[in-house]
């Protein structure tokens, strides 16, 4: 059960993050002040991809809630980062982000850490 | 000058996001672990769980965290944001040990150290892939 819940968390998070990053970069820079957040809410309500990303996030969240109820916090949170490597690769492939050797190696170290943390 | 301000804003948003998510997850773990029935088994349990003050507080914090993260994504690359927010995994391991008295093995702490090393490395790279829009500005 633990692993089924974790798989749902990982798949839904990956889909949500890619949609969010893609859409937020298209619209230009966003501030997070009180006015910025209101503007952000309006922006979300008008963009169906952002709405879809929130639906994915809701799936991920409710699975995470069930996971965290039984699994230790120090396992559930790091293990949910299984989406990490998939997302970095997809950021390069789908979003055409430039991954420098240094950034790639840093991401790899983080992944190794997550693997150890999740044991 | 403009570039410096942008970097500062990105790190400020990152700090706010990390704090909100760490405390949000802790509150969520605390709240759900004290529920009487299993969540995965019954959708109705979710509705009842929302009435728990710790779960409600957790959800409020995590929603604000999501909005802060969206703003952060408009400033920086996803491949920068992802490793940097990984500091949150270390914070969660720490919170799990301190507040929930979970057993964190030496191997897990080694994992925490690796994550922080990776994060430090990513932190020294520039936050955003230059786009055509940025160069024409």
């Amino acid at each position: 059960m633990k692993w089924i819940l974790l798989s749902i968390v990982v798949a839904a998070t990956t889909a949500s993050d890619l949609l969010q990053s893609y859409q937020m970069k298209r619209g230009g820079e966003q501030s997070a002040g009180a006015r910025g957040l209101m503007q952000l809410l309006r922006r979300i309500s008008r963009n169906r991809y952002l709405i879809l990303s929130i639906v994915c996030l809701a799936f991920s969240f409710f699975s995470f809630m069930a996971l965290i109820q039984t699994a230790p916090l120090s396992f559930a949170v790091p293990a949910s980062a299984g989406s990490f490597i998939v997302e970095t690769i997809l950021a390069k492939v789908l979003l055409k982000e430039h991954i420098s050797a240094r950034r790639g190696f840093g991401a790899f170290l983080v992944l190794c850490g997550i693997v150890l943390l999740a044991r | 000058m403009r570039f410096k301000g942008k970097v500062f804003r990105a790190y400020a948003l990152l700090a706010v996001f990390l704090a909100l998510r760490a405390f949000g997850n802790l509150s969520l773990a605390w709240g759900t672990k004290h529920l009487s029935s299993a969540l995965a088994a019954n959708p109705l349990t979710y509705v009842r769980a929302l009435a728990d003050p710790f779960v409600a507080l957790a959800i409020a914090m995590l929603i604000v965290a999501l909005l802060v993260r969206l703003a952060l994504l408009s400033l920086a690359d996803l491949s920068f944001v992802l490793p940097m927010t990984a500091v949150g995994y270390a914070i969660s391991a720490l919170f799990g040990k301190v507040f929930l008295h979970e057993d964190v093995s030496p191997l897990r702490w080694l994992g925490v150290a690796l994550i922080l090393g990776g994060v430090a490395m990513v932190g020294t790279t520039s936050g955003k892939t230059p786009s055509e829009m940025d160069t024409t500005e």
Side-chain angles (χ1 to χ4, degrees), chain A residues 29-30 62 73-74 97 103, chain B residues 9 46 74 79 102 126:
Chain A
E29 214 173 289
Q30 176 70 51
F62 287 121
L73 181 68
S74 54
E97 287 182 9
R103 202 187 272 189
Chain B
R9 279 206 303 284
Y46 279 103
S74 75
S79 51
E102 289 170 4
S126 138

Side-chain angles (χ1 to χ4, degrees), chain B residues 88-132:
Chain B
Y89 306 124
I91 301 175
S92 280
L94 194 66
F95 277 18
K97 182 166 177 61
V98 174
F99 294 111
L100 303 173
H101 308 294
E102 289 170 4
D103 183 33
V104 182
S105 66
L107 213 56
R108 276 197 187 170
W109 287 121
L110 179 64
V112 171
L114 280 177
I115 289 175
L116 292 178
V119 166
M121 185 159 273
V122 174
T124 57
T125 64
S126 138
K128 194 166 194 254
T129 303
S131 67
E132 282 165 40

